[in-house]
Amino acid sequence: MHRLSRRSVSTILRSTGSASRYGSAATAVPFSDYVVDGEAKFRWYSVLTTGREIPNKTKQLNLKHTFFLGTRYESTAAESDSSSSPPSVGEKYEYQAEVSRLMDLIVNSLYSNKEVFLRELISNASDALDKLRFLSVTDSELLKDATDLDIRIQTDKDNGIITIIDSGIGMTRQELIDCLGTIAQSGTAKFLKALKDSKDAGADNNLIGQFGVGFYSAFLVADRVVVSTKSPRSDKQYVWEGEANASSYTIREDTDPENHIPRGTRLTLYLKRDDKGFAHPERIQKLVKNYSQFVSFPIYTWQEKGYTKEVEVDEDPAEAKKDEQDDTTEKKKKTKTVVEKYWDWELTNETQPIWLRNPKEVSTEDYNEFYKKTFNEYLEPLASSHFTTEGEVEFRSILYVPAIASTGKDDIVNPKTKNIRLYVKRVFISDDFDGELFPRYLSFVKGVVDSNDLPLNVSREILQESRIVRIMRKRLVRKAFDMILGISMSENREDYEKFWDNFGKHLKLGCIEDRENHKRIAPLLRFFSSQSEQEMISLDEYVENMKPEQKDIYYIASDSVTSARNTPFLERLLEKDLEVLFLVDPIDEIAIQNLKSYKEKNFVDITKEDLDLGDKNEEKEKNMKQEFGQTCDWIKKRLGDKVASVQISNRLSSSPCVLVSGKFGWSANMERLMKSQTVGDMSSLEFMRGRRVFEINPEHEIIKNLTAACRSNQDDEDALRAVDLLYDAALVSSGYTPEDPAQLGGKIYEMMGMALSGKWSSPPEIQHPVSSQPGIPETLEAEVVEPVEVDGQK
C-alpha cells in the first residue's frame, strides 16, 4: 500500500479542519474492502465532498496505524455475490478547483503570444457594442445616454497603464458575477443561445465570443485589472477588481462622480514590470492594426500629434541696437517654425474588409490597393480571386498571385509562411500555418480567409484538423489553380512567363507531393524542347505537335539546353522529326516521373533502354544480330562488369556508340544530381545506379573496323585499347562521370600522339662532312634525278 509522509498527513488534517472558501470540505467515505474473522477491516481514502460532516469513524481514527480519510469495507467473494443484499447507491460529488491554479493554467497555457490580450479584449468590447445595437432595435431607450458606438484605447507609458473604453451594453452587478466571476462562462455564447431559442434565430450577427476565457488574457500582461461598467438597465455603476494569481475578486459600487461613464465598460490594466512596453501608443496602434483592423466598430487610440506654427524669436541686443541706429530700414520681427505637440484620438482601423463586399462592386484598383497595404508589397499582383463559399462550409476569401517570389526565409521548402491571414468574424487569428490551408507548393499564394465557424481551439490560435478544414483546403487550392490557369490563358504571354520564372519550381514540386491535383498542375507546366529552344512550350502544345504515329511523349534530362541538344540520344529522333522535351531543371525529371502520363500519352526517357520509336523491323534486327553478334560478345567480354550487355542501337545515326541506363535505374542526370547532394547516401548509389547497356551503331566506320579486328584477331592490343577508349568516350557523351578522369586523359593523349606523329614536323637536315685538311677542296657527289611527268609534261 502506498504510504504518505508526515507532511502529507498534517496537510490532510489541516484540510479537514475547515471548509474551503467555496464551502467544500474533505469528508470520509466508507467503502467495503474485506472481512477477517467477522470483523470489517477499513482502508481510508481522501475524498472531496461538498459540505458533509465527517462520519464518527473518522473521529476514532488512530494515526499510528492508519492514515487515510475514508473507510472502505472489504468482504469475501461469497458475501459480495449474495443476491439478497440490495445494490449499493453511489454518492454524487461535484468537482472542486483551486481557482488560482486554474487561472494560471488558463492564462499561461492557452495563449502562446502575449500580444493577443488586446485582440481578446477588443473582441469583448465589439461583442458588447453588437449586443447593444441588436437590442436597441426593439428598445431604443438603451441608446439614449450615448449614441456613438465605438472603442477607445488610452495608454500611460510612464505608469504602465492601458485603458480600454467601449460604449456597449455594459453589465449589472449580477452580470459581473456571472461573466467575470465565473470562469469559462461566455456571456456572448449565452446571448447567442437566447437568440437561437427566440424568433430572431435567423438574424445576422457579428458576435465573436465563444469560450468565456478571453477576458482573463488580460492577466498575461497585467498584475491588476479594474473593470468599471454601467448598464443602461441599471442606475448604478459597479467596479470589478481582480489580481493575477488570486483566487478572489471584489465588486463594489462606484460612487465617485468623476469616474462615471454614460454607458458601457472601462477596462484598466496595470501592467507587469516586464510588460510595460505594451503601454506605448505606437505599440498599441500596431497591435490594433494587426489583429483588429477589420472590427466593424471604429477603434480610436490616444496618439501624440503635432502641428507647425510660427513663433517670434527674441532679438539679440547687439542687433537691436544696430536696428535703432538705422532708422531708414523697415523693422521686421524675426520668427521661427516650431512643432506644437498635443494629444488627440486617432481612428486606427480605417481599412474596410473588402472581402465582405460584393465582388461586382470592387474595382481592380481596390483589390490592388488592399493587397499592397495588407502584405506590404510595392508591385501589383499578377491575378486575384474574390469568392464566397456557401453550403456545408461558409467562408469568404480573397487570394492573390504575387508578381515576384519572396526572398529570404520564405523558401520553397519552408511550408510555414505568413502569406495567408486567417480571420474569424473579421478578427485576425493567425498567419502562421504549417500546411493546414495550403500545401507548401502553393505557399506563394497570398490572401485572407474569413469564416464564422472555423474549428478553432480555445485560444483561437490553432486551427484544428477536421473535415471542415479539409474541405476548405480543397476549395482554396481549386481557386488558386483557377487563378494560375487564368494567367496562362491570358493574351499577354509575358504575364505567365513572369509567373513561371518566379513560381515554376513550386508547381513542379506539386507534381511530386500532390497526386490528387495532377490534372490541374500538368497543363500549367512549361519546358524547352528540341523544336523550341528559345521559348518554353506547354504539354498541350507538345501533344498538338505530335506525329500521327507517335504514341509517347519523349524527354531527356540534362543540365542545360546546349548539352541536351548535342546529346547522341537525339540523333535518330531528330531525323524522324520527333519533338523531345528538354528537362534542364534539377526537379524536372522527378516531377515528370511522378506525372507518368498526360492525356493518355506516357512520358518516355530517351536515355533508357528499350526505346521504341515506332519503326521496328524484326527481319532487319535479326540480320544485324547475326552479323554483329560476335562483335557485341567480344566488346562485352572486354568491358566485363562495367556494362550489363552490349546491343545494337536503334537511336544512333552519326555516333559510334552510346551508354544507356537501365529501365528502372537512375538516369545519367539523376546520378549526377544524387552525387552532388550534401547529405547524399553514397552507399545507396551503387544500388540505385542500375544496369548500363552499351549500344553500338553498326553503320559507323569505327564499329566496322572493330568488327574486322574481332574476326581477325580478338587479342590485338590496339583493338582492345580502342574498345576501352570507345567506352570512356561513350561514358562522357552520355552524361556520366568517368571514375578515373586522369586515366581517360592518358588514353586520349596516347591516341593523339599516334595520330599526330610526324604529320607537321619538317624532314631532318642533311649534314655534310667538313674536310679536315685545309686548302684541299671537298669532293662532291652529284645525284642524278630522273625527270617526272606531270600532266603530260616533263
Side-chain angles (χ1 to χ4, degrees):
M1 181 183 294
H2 179 69
R3 294 184 176 274
L4 298 177
S5 63
R6 292 180 179 271
R7 181 178 298 176
S8 302
V9 173
S10 61
T11 303
I12 294 172
L13 290 176
R14 285 199 303 269
S15 64
T16 58
S18 62
S20 68
R21 184 187 303 269
Y22 297 99
S24 63
T27 63
V29 181
F31 294 94
S32 168
D33 203 34
Y34 63 93
V35 176
V36 179
D37 297 332
E39 294 183 6
K41 303 295 183 181
F42 303 133
R43 291 182 181 174
W44 301 85
Y45 295 89
S46 173
V47 179
L48 287 176
T49 63
T50 55
R52 297 177 181 272
E53 285 190 37
I54 302 176
N56 293 332
K57 290 184 177 62
T58 309
K59 298 178 181 179
Q60 300 172 1
L61 177 66
N62 186 357
L63 291 176
K64 293 183 179 180
H65 299 89
T66 182
F67 39 75
F68 288 91
L69 298 183
T71 60
R72 178 178 174 185
Y73 296 93
E74 298 189 2
S75 61
T76 61
E79 291 178 351
S80 63
D81 294 338
S82 175
S83 60
S84 59
S85 59
S88 59
V89 179
E91 297 185 49
K92 185 176 181 180
Y93 303 97
E94 293 183 0
Y95 290 106
Q96 303 297 317
E98 182 67 33
V99 179
S100 61
R101 292 293 303 277
L102 181 60
M103 287 286 293
D104 182 68
L105 288 174
I106 290 175
V107 171
N108 298 309
S109 298
L110 288 183
Y111 302 102
S112 60
N113 188 359
K114 288 185 176 183
E115 292 182 349
V116 301
F117 83 94
L118 192 62
R119 178 196 72 185
E120 298 295 318
L121 298 180
I122 291 178
S123 298
N124 289 347
S126 176
D127 283 351
L129 292 167
D130 253 323
K131 292 176 190 176
L132 177 65
R133 183 170 61 180
F134 184 83
L135 296 174
S136 64
V137 175
T138 55
D139 188 0
S140 59
E141 291 294 320
L142 297 176
L143 293 175
K144 64 179 181 179
D145 295 326
T147 57
D148 293 336
L149 301 180
D150 55 26
I151 302 170
R152 298 179 182 269
I153 305 174
Q154 191 171 10
T155 59
D156 182 358
K157 64 180 180 180
D158 296 330
N159 298 315
I161 300 174
I162 299 177
T163 304
I164 304 173
I165 307 171
D166 70 77
S167 55
I169 190 65
M171 288 177 282
T172 63
R173 180 185 182 91
Q174 187 59 41
E175 287 172 340
L176 276 174
I177 298 173
D178 294 340
C179 297
L180 303 188
T182 307
I183 299 175
Q185 175 169 310
S186 172
T188 298
K190 191 175 181 181
F191 184 79
L192 286 174
K193 186 177 183 301
L195 285 181
K196 186 176 181 181
D197 296 338
S198 69
K199 62 181 179 179
D200 298 318
D204 185 22
N205 66 83
N206 296 316
L207 298 174
I208 301 168
Q210 182 178 359
F211 300 103
V213 296
F215 166 76
Y216 306 105
S217 65
F219 292 108
L220 285 168
V221 296
D223 281 325
R224 183 163 65 97
V225 178
V226 178
V227 181
S228 300
T229 182
K230 170 69 168 60
S231 172
R233 297 191 179 101
S234 174
D235 297 332
K236 297 180 180 180
Q237 178 172 317
Y238 294 96
V239 177
W240 182 99
E241 185 172 347
E243 295 182 357
N245 301 322
S247 58
S248 62
Y249 59 89
T250 59
I251 296 178
R252 56 181 170 82
E253 183 181 347
D254 194 348
T255 56
D256 188 356
E258 295 182 358
N259 294 331
H260 283 185
I261 54 179
R263 182 194 66 242
T265 302
R266 180 175 62 239
L267 186 66
T268 306
L269 308 182
Y270 296 89
L271 302 180
K272 301 174 183 178
R273 177 179 298 178
D274 296 338
D275 298 316
K276 287 188 176 181
F278 286 104
H280 285 267
E282 297 82 4
R283 184 82 178 272
I284 291 295
Q285 188 178 48
K286 181 179 177 181
L287 293 179
V288 171
K289 288 184 176 181
N290 186 38
Y291 289 100
S292 305
Q293 176 81 352
F294 304 108
V295 170
S296 54
F297 295 97
I299 302 175
Y300 294 92
T301 55
W302 190 246
Q303 299 291 332
E304 185 180 23
K305 299 182 179 181
Y307 64 93
T308 60
K309 67 176 184 179
E310 298 288 333
V311 296
E312 294 184 5
V313 181
D314 295 336
E315 290 187 278
D316 188 35
E319 293 183 1
K321 185 177 180 181
K322 183 179 179 181
D323 292 340
E324 290 176 0
Q325 296 175 355
D326 191 0
D327 297 334
T328 60
T329 305
E330 184 180 355
K331 294 183 178 180
K332 293 183 179 180
K333 296 182 179 179
K334 293 187 176 181
T335 61
K336 68 176 181 179
T337 303
V338 296
V339 179
E340 190 75 17
K341 299 287 186 179
Y342 69 99
W343 289 83
D344 196 6
W345 294 107
E346 181 178 325
L347 182 63
T348 305
N349 59 335
E350 295 178 341
T351 307
Q352 296 300 319
I354 65 173
W355 63 81
L356 299 180
R357 296 163 57 185
N358 189 338
K360 297 179 180 179
E361 300 175 357
V362 185
S363 64
T364 304
E365 289 74 17
D366 293 336
Y367 286 126
N368 294 343
E369 184 64 27
F370 176 78
Y371 168 76
K372 292 178 181 179
K373 194 169 186 178
T374 305
F375 299 102
N376 296 323
E377 293 284 351
Y378 63 94
L379 293 178
E380 294 182 354
L382 289 177
S384 63
S385 176
H386 182 188
F387 60 94
T388 302
T389 301
E390 297 179 349
E392 187 177 3
V393 179
E394 296 184 3
F395 65 92
R396 296 172 181 265
S397 178
I398 299 180
L399 301 179
Y400 296 94
V401 175
I404 59 173
S406 301
T407 57
K409 62 182 179 180
D410 294 336
D411 191 57
I412 184 175
V413 298
N414 180 20
K416 287 190 174 183
T417 60
K418 297 184 179 296
N419 291 338
I420 298 297
R421 296 176 62 87
L422 176 65
Y423 293 82
V424 173
K425 297 182 179 179
R426 305 164 318 283
V427 176
F428 174 69
I429 300 300
S430 177
D431 58 2
D432 187 12
F433 299 109
D434 192 5
E436 290 91 349
L437 292 178
F438 270 98
R440 71 169 180 168
Y441 70 90
L442 289 177
S443 59
F444 62 89
V445 176
K446 297 185 178 184
V448 296
V449 179
D450 187 5
S451 175
N452 293 342
D453 53 0
L454 274 181
L456 302 172
N457 70 346
V458 181
S459 68
R460 294 196 254 174
E461 292 178 335
I462 303 173
L463 194 61
Q464 303 292 337
E465 180 62 28
S466 70
R467 181 169 171 268
I468 295 178
V469 176
R470 289 193 294 269
I471 295 174
M472 286 184 60
R473 176 188 168 109
K474 286 184 179 180
R475 295 182 181 177
L476 289 171
V477 169
R478 190 181 308 159
K479 289 295 183 179
F481 278 123
D482 291 343
M483 272 196 306
I484 300 172
L485 184 62
I487 301 174
S488 67
M489 298 176 65
S490 173
E491 296 180 357
N492 188 0
R493 193 180 179 95
E494 293 180 357
D495 287 344
Y496 195 74
E497 290 177 357
K498 185 187 299 183
F499 168 82
W500 185 256
D501 290 340
N502 287 278
F503 308 110
K505 291 183 179 179
H506 290 74
L507 296 185
K508 295 172 186 176
L509 181 64
C511 297
I512 303 171
E513 296 186 342
D514 193 354
R515 295 181 180 273
E516 295 181 0
N517 288 305
H518 276 179
K519 292 184 178 180
R520 292 188 175 94
I521 298 174
L524 303 174
L525 300 178
R526 297 293 184 270
F527 302 100
F528 293 108
S529 75
S530 58
Q531 298 179 6
S532 180
E533 297 180 6
Q534 303 298 327
E535 189 174 342
M536 287 187 169
I537 64 170
S538 65
L539 295 179
D540 288 324
E541 291 174 320
Y542 181 95
V543 173
E544 291 177 2
N545 297 332
M546 287 177 63
K547 301 298 180 182
E549 68 278 3
Q550 186 178 347
K551 299 179 181 179
D552 302 317
I553 300 175
Y554 300 112
Y555 72 88
I556 181 172
S558 184
D559 58 346
S560 66
V561 174
T562 303
S563 61
R565 180 180 64 241
N566 297 324
T567 182
F569 297 101
L570 278 178
E571 294 174 358
R572 186 58 60 85
L573 286 93
L574 293 180
E575 287 183 357
K576 297 174 66 67
D577 198 25
L578 296 177
E579 190 172 13
V580 180
L581 296 177
F582 292 164
L583 311 186
V584 296
D585 205 25
I587 198 175
D588 285 351
E589 186 174 0
I590 306 176
I592 289 296
Q593 288 174 354
N594 279 270
L595 279 182
K596 295 181 180 179
S597 65
Y598 181 70
K599 292 187 175 180
E600 301 180 354
K601 306 289 185 181
N602 294 325
F603 290 100
V604 174
D605 187 351
I606 64 172
T607 66
K608 297 294 184 71
E609 63 177 334
D610 297 335
L611 178 64
D612 183 11
L613 299 179
D615 57 351
K616 280 191 175 183
N617 189 336
E618 295 182 358
E619 185 66 25
K620 183 179 179 180
E621 290 181 0
K622 185 177 179 181
N623 295 334
M624 283 290 183
K625 287 182 180 179
Q626 290 178 355
E627 183 178 357
F628 293 94
Q630 184 181 4
T631 305
C632 293
D633 295 339
W634 175 59
I635 296 176
K636 173 64 175 72
K637 182 180 179 181
R638 177 61 180 177
L639 298 179
D641 294 336
K642 293 180 180 179
V643 296
S645 63
V646 179
Q647 299 176 5
I648 306 297
S649 178
N650 67 335
R651 72 186 86 203
L652 298 176
S653 61
S654 59
S655 299
C657 59
V658 73
L659 197 62
V660 302
S661 57
K663 201 169 186 178
F664 303 103
W666 280 340
S667 66
N669 181 69
M670 184 59 64
E671 188 173 318
R672 175 180 59 83
L673 293 175
M674 296 306 296
K675 281 183 177 180
S676 64
Q677 296 297 311
T678 305
V679 292
D681 185 10
M682 298 303 296
S683 62
S684 65
L685 184 61
E686 291 296 327
F687 174 77
M688 289 301 299
R689 186 170 65 177
R691 59 201 301 267
R692 294 177 181 176
V693 178
F694 190 68
E695 292 187 358
I696 61 174
N697 180 10
E699 298 178 357
H700 199 276
E701 287 298 324
I702 294 179
I703 302 302
K704 291 179 180 180
N705 290 332
L706 289 178
T707 302
C710 173
R711 292 172 180 173
S712 61
N713 184 9
Q714 294 187 1
D715 297 329
D716 185 87
E717 290 296 330
D718 292 339
L720 294 177
R721 283 199 303 269
V723 171
D724 293 339
L725 186 60
L726 197 66
Y727 170 78
D728 291 335
L731 198 69
V732 175
S733 64
S734 301
Y736 292 98
T737 304
E739 296 180 0
D740 191 351
Q743 185 182 15
L744 174 60
K747 293 178 182 179
I748 295 175
Y749 298 151
E750 181 183 358
M751 298 295 290
M752 289 177 64
M754 296 171 58
L756 301 178
S757 177
K759 189 170 184 179
W760 294 289
S761 59
S762 59
E765 296 181 358
I766 302 175
Q767 300 292 333
H768 300 286
V770 180
S771 176
S772 59
Q773 297 181 2
I776 300 175
E778 185 180 356
T779 304
L780 299 178
E781 295 183 0
E783 183 180 357
V784 179
V785 180
E786 296 292 338
V788 180
E789 268 191 9
V790 178
D791 297 334
Q793 296 180 358
K794 288 188 178 181

